[in-house]
Amino acid sequence: MAIDAFRQAGRRLRARPAHAILALLTLSLGLAATLFLFGGLNSMVLRPLPFPDAGRLVQVGWQSPGSDELDSLSAADYARIDGMLAGLEAAGVDAGAATVTLGQGDDFRRYHGTLVDHGLLSLLAVRPLLGRVFTSADDAPGAALTVLVSERVWRNDFQGRADLPGAVVRANGETATVIGVLPDSFGFPGGQDVWLPRRLAPEDPLAVFVTGRIAPDASLEIVNLGLAALQQRLEPEFQRSEPGRRLAAVPLAHRFVDRTTRSLLWAMFVAGLLVLLLTCANVANLQVGQVIGRQHELAICGALGAQRNRLLAELMAEALLLTIAATVLGGLLAHLGGIWVMADMLANDSLPAWYVDLSYDWRDVAFMAAVALATTILAGLVPARRAAGTPAAQALRAGDRGSRGGLFSGLTRGLVVFEIALTVVLLVGAALFLRTLMILGTFSQGGLTDPAQVLTARIGLFPDRYPDATDRLAVFERLQGRLAGEPGVLAASVATGIPGSSGQGGEWLAVPGRPRPAEGHLRVEQARIDPTFADVYGLRLREGRFVDAGDRADTALVAVIDERIADRLFPGESALGRSVQVDPEGDAPQTYLVVGVVEPVHLRPVDASPRPAVLLPLSQAPPRFVTLAVRTSGDAALFAPRLAAVLREVEPEAPPYWVRSQADAIGAGRAGIDLVTRIFTVVGLLALVLAATGLYGVLAFSVARRARELGIRRALGAGAAATVRPVVVGTGAQVLLGLVLGLLAAVPWAALLAGLGVAGGRQDPRLFVWVAGLVVLVAAAAAAAPLRRALRVDPMVALRQD
């Protein structure tokens, strides 16, 4: 019986190719969207980390009030709690994302790297492909420097040498020995290729990221209770920077995919499910139309003795065949979508965690099977059961004249209302993301220079070669002078930040002698700059002066602040000649004399919350790592080869990295929201197309079924408006009801997105009006062709219909 049912279903689909192709494409698009979005959710959220006992791994750090994310610890704070973490059976540390210069002879390259201790590698059960991993001896201060490299570096840059362990190289300016090769499946913490030993000392300025494994008899709640007790006991000893912060532990997976990203992935997946529901509603409408057209045939078959279950099986077999074909095609489209996403991320230097793999696993396959089954039921079972349950006598009496009422009219009207409501919700989501992207696109990072004219690159100098600040400053000034003298260069600068991309880091700022504000000190972003920084980026001075050549290590500490700081700390008065204090509650607060005020400068990625900026002279405390910025007369990217050549001449062991224009650096900050916006837009437009085709199909079917009625109206002398009025009124009621329900559901949806950091999620009635207007216009366009067809009905032909 099953084989016969599938054979009959195949014959019917071949006999109606237009219907079969339309249903197949509709289902394929809906399934592709759902499978694609589930693939992202599965890869980044549902799959466990690739470590033993991944569910027991946690990160420990500082948590600010109202935040779900953790900040790193200072080396001094970690030294105070090391060995006192209750509920953890083991712990290890790393320094987060960093860079490592590695090479031999005159060939040096810059790699993504970090510093880790032997405890972290043991905790994560890392097994080297060659050699060994770090031991406690490698972590000891003063020990000979050792290096671990990735399998990728071993194969590509060391030609897969089996004798690489034991080779002597230069790492960050020091002589080091390669002791092992780690598999590419490791990559901790962010796709690293080189690892150095993390030798902790309380005065170490680098961040400390703590990873721990919960003991078998403990839990995350127990660990957090222990941290709270530990903080209470040691609070006076901790470095103070922010009121209300607390020591906390969160699952380690949240370090790589934070809660906001997880929530967005879930929201996108829900949007995909809504599109699938729209798809099923559309296909159900198509099937309903086909079933109604066959009611007479089905009734005759039933009257002649055909079993109702057999009719049901044949109709379900048709839906199943369509679903299987659509699942295969949709799976292929989803896979291509995954390739597109990875290529987009690679182009924007925004790849996800190294372990993320968008290829299918058993969860994807299981989800695909479940979705295929659900789709078959939603798109096929309801119309099939209705058709199989149609009384034969009723169907035989109705013939082909079922017009306004009938068995399926309520179902089709309800499906159209449902489609329009879901479309409104999805389009509101897409519009909110588009609005957020527009806000980021128009955000001023500060300055007048076209970002496409500024080439930026990062370099680092190392203590062995340049232990003294004076030596580092000499290199920076020599480099700046060489670059500024190159043909086509308008200005060149050495600093620690890029407007619209990054600064040296966040700091707390206060006015010396003033009591601590109840809301805490002012959080600012700082950068150390040279005297040409303002020329490169086109910063505008409001009062006072910029940093100049007279600001040296042996002169008074000075600062240039932006207007936001001046307005906050010195409202209604001039900030010139006043003092500000950086890190007022730290171990070594420093006081600066304000010599200038500039227009607002944004020294963070464009998708980060703005902070006021304080600019300090590079010459008064030259750091090891700086950003080169070259303003050119044309396309900045064309100057990249010359920049690398000049740097090789000045300092061969400091190859540049992150070489890109300021425009690209700014773009990288909005790459994530740009990708999410495009995905949401595609999903929203797909929903709009599905709703329009669904409405078109229902109207076309309604006009065809009411041809006799419309012909009689025309024969009785009704005008065009009177002829189509019943159809227009019914359709308008459906569209209006769908809009109302959709807008009601879109309000909490917009609030949810606003809570996830989507700036466009702030309530704006105009956005809802625009979405409603777009849906109405598309509905009108979808209704136009069936209504024109209704007006072309020949009264004489219609009256001759049975």
Side-chain angles (χ1 to χ4, degrees):
M1 177 178 174
I3 295 176
D4 289 341
F6 281 106
R7 187 179 295 116
Q8 291 294 331
R11 289 197 189 102
R12 282 196 300 272
L13 290 174
R14 287 194 299 272
R16 296 176 279 117
H19 164 79
I21 292 173
L22 180 59
L24 176 62
L25 290 178
T26 303
L27 273 179
S28 297
L29 290 174
L31 286 167
T34 308
L35 296 174
F36 168 73
L37 295 172
F38 177 80
L41 180 69
N42 180 38
S43 300
M44 301 183 71
V45 176
L46 301 181
R47 287 180 189 170
L49 295 175
F51 304 119
D53 296 322
R56 294 166 55 200
L57 297 177
V58 296
Q59 178 192 357
V60 177
W62 288 114
Q63 189 171 60
S64 300
S67 173
D68 293 324
E69 300 180 28
L70 296 187
D71 294 326
S72 60
L73 300 174
S74 68
D77 282 348
Y78 180 68
R80 295 182 179 100
I81 66 173
D82 188 18
M84 304 170 65
L85 299 173
L88 298 182
E89 64 177 5
V93 301
D94 68 271
T99 60
V100 177
T101 297
L102 193 68
Q104 295 174 308
D106 295 329
D107 183 18
F108 290 90
R109 301 183 186 183
R110 197 78 187 178
Y111 297 97
H112 291 293
T114 190
L115 288 77
V116 300
D117 71 351
H118 73 284
L120 179 68
L121 298 180
S122 174
L123 175 70
L124 300 179
V126 181
R127 295 181 179 275
L129 296 177
L130 290 176
R132 64 175 179 86
V133 296
F134 297 139
T135 65
S136 57
D138 297 298
D139 287 337
L145 184 61
T146 52
V147 180
L148 292 167
V149 300
S150 70
E151 179 183 358
R152 180 169 48 253
V153 170
W154 172 56
R155 295 190 186 280
N156 295 340
D157 299 337
F158 291 97
Q159 295 74 49
R161 291 167 41 190
D163 63 344
L164 182 61
V168 177
V169 297
R170 295 278 292 174
N172 284 357
E174 298 183 51
T175 300
T177 302
V178 178
I179 61 170
V181 177
L182 302 187
D184 285 340
S185 58
F186 180 60
F188 189 93
Q192 268 62 31
D193 280 316
V194 178
W195 297 265
L196 301 179
R198 182 71 166 96
R199 295 166 179 173
L200 281 171
E203 66 278 8
D204 192 329
L206 294 180
V208 177
F209 293 87
V210 182
T211 300
R213 183 170 61 236
I214 300 175
D217 58 346
S219 65
L220 182 61
E221 291 73 18
I222 290 175
V223 172
N224 275 311
L225 288 173
L227 289 172
L230 183 62
Q231 180 178 355
Q232 186 175 13
R233 187 164 72 251
L234 301 178
E235 181 66 38
E237 302 178 32
F238 286 129
Q239 294 182 354
R240 300 176 64 194
S241 60
E242 182 178 4
R245 67 173 187 166
R246 66 186 186 94
L247 280 173
V250 300
L252 180 61
H254 287 199
R255 176 177 176 181
F256 308 108
V257 184
D258 59 35
R259 291 192 180 184
T260 297
T261 302
R262 289 167 181 268
S263 298
L264 281 175
L265 287 169
W266 277 109
M268 292 166 64
F269 174 61
V270 170
L273 289 178
L274 295 180
V275 167
L276 184 61
L277 286 175
L278 279 175
T279 302
C280 293
N282 252 12
V283 175
N285 264 332
L286 288 173
Q287 295 294 86
V288 164
Q290 293 300 316
V291 165
I292 291 179
R294 297 180 59 213
Q295 272 188 279
H296 200 69
E297 169 198 343
L298 295 174
I300 292 174
C301 291
L304 294 176
Q307 293 183 354
R308 181 171 298 180
N309 288 340
R310 181 183 181 88
L311 299 177
L312 178 62
E314 289 180 3
L315 294 168
M316 285 300 300
E318 182 176 335
L320 183 57
L321 285 177
L322 284 172
T323 301
I324 291 173
T327 301
V328 173
L329 182 56
L332 176 61
L333 292 174
H335 177 67
L336 294 176
I339 294 175
W340 165 67
V341 166
M342 293 301 289
D344 186 272
M345 289 183 169
L346 183 62
N348 289 286
D349 291 330
S350 58
L351 284 173
W354 86 97
Y355 61 85
V356 171
D357 182 4
L358 293 181
S359 61
Y360 290 154
D361 69 358
W362 66 268
R363 294 177 187 82
D364 295 282
V365 175
F367 178 75
M368 191 180 299
V371 166
L373 177 61
T375 301
T376 302
I377 294 172
L378 290 172
L381 182 60
V382 173
R385 284 189 61 84
R386 290 293 185 92
T390 303
Q394 176 184 333
L396 289 171
R397 285 195 305 268
D400 289 329
R401 292 174 296 179
S403 58
R404 287 165 292 181
L407 193 59
F408 297 98
S409 59
L411 175 63
T412 55
R413 286 196 299 269
L415 289 176
V416 169
V417 170
F418 174 72
E419 287 185 349
I420 291 173
L422 289 186
T423 299
V424 170
V425 173
L426 292 173
L427 283 177
V428 165
L432 293 176
F433 278 99
L434 282 170
R435 182 179 170 196
T436 300
L437 196 60
M438 292 174 62
I439 291 172
L440 295 180
T442 58
F443 182 81
S444 173
Q445 74 277 359
L448 301 176
T449 302
D450 181 358
Q453 288 186 272
V454 180
L455 182 69
T456 65
R458 190 80 171 161
I459 65 168
L461 303 181
F462 303 105
D464 273 15
R465 288 178 62 84
Y466 301 99
D468 187 79
T470 303
D471 297 331
R472 294 195 293 272
L473 182 60
V475 173
F476 297 150
E477 290 180 338
R478 187 163 66 252
L479 186 57
Q480 187 275 333
R482 286 287 305 275
L483 292 172
E486 288 291 317
V489 172
L490 302 178
S493 172
V494 180
T496 59
I498 304 174
S501 177
S502 63
Q504 188 175 344
E507 289 286 1
W508 301 96
L509 200 68
V511 177
R514 287 187 186 175
R516 188 173 190 271
E519 68 277 12
H521 295 301
L522 179 62
R523 187 70 161 169
V524 301
E525 194 77 13
Q526 73 158 321
R528 290 200 171 268
I529 65 172
D530 67 3
T532 57
F533 184 84
D535 296 331
V536 169
Y537 293 108
L539 302 187
R540 291 190 290 194
L541 191 66
R542 282 306 186 196
E543 59 176 333
R545 65 173 176 87
F546 287 114
V547 169
D548 63 31
D551 299 317
R552 312 298 290 185
D554 56 354
T555 63
L557 298 180
V558 299
V560 176
I561 62 176
D562 77 9
E563 290 178 319
R564 293 168 294 183
I565 297 176
D567 292 341
R568 171 76 180 273
L569 298 183
F570 309 107
E573 54 184 306
S574 174
L576 294 183
R578 306 296 297 270
S579 295
V580 293
Q581 194 170 59
V582 174
D583 195 17
E585 297 184 5
D587 294 334
Q590 290 187 306
T591 301
Y592 295 83
L593 179 69
V594 177
V595 297
V597 179
V598 297
E599 290 187 345
V601 183
H602 189 68
L603 292 173
R604 307 186 76 199
V606 293
D607 63 340
S609 57
R611 286 177 184 165
V614 57
L615 306 176
L616 309 175
L618 183 80
S619 54
Q620 292 190 328
R624 288 173 47 202
F625 291 88
V626 294
T627 296
L628 308 177
V630 181
R631 180 182 175 187
T632 65
S633 56
D635 185 358
L638 299 177
F639 189 73
R642 186 56 193 155
L643 182 146
V646 170
L647 189 53
R648 277 195 303 271
E649 295 169 8
V650 175
E651 177 44 68
E653 287 199 27
Y657 57 102
W658 298 345
V659 182
R660 56 191 178 183
S661 69
Q662 185 195 8
D664 288 339
I666 292 171
R670 56 173 175 259
I673 191 67
D674 180 52
L675 179 62
V676 173
T677 298
R678 278 183 282 168
I679 292 173
F680 250 102
T681 302
V682 169
V683 170
L685 293 178
L686 177 59
L688 185 62
V689 170
L690 290 172
T693 55
L695 182 61
Y696 172 85
V698 170
L699 276 175
F701 177 76
S702 177
V703 168
R705 297 292 292 169
R706 302 175 71 162
R708 187 170 184 274
E709 173 194 344
L710 297 173
I712 293 174
R713 288 176 176 271
R714 295 299 302 274
L716 293 176
T723 299
V724 299
R725 185 178 294 115
V727 179
V728 171
V729 170
T731 303
Q734 289 174 271
V735 173
L736 179 61
L737 180 58
L739 282 175
V740 171
L741 294 177
L743 291 172
L744 289 175
V747 172
W749 173 238
L752 173 64
L753 291 179
L756 296 178
V758 180
R762 293 189 291 270
Q763 301 294 341
D764 184 349
R766 293 174 300 176
L767 186 145
F768 292 85
V769 172
W770 293 336
V771 168
L774 176 61
V775 172
V776 169
L777 285 176
V778 172
L787 291 177
R788 283 198 302 270
R789 194 176 305 125
L791 293 175
R792 291 200 297 267
V793 172
D794 188 328
M796 298 306 298
V797 173
L799 291 172
R800 285 199 298 268
Q801 288 185 2
D802 180 15

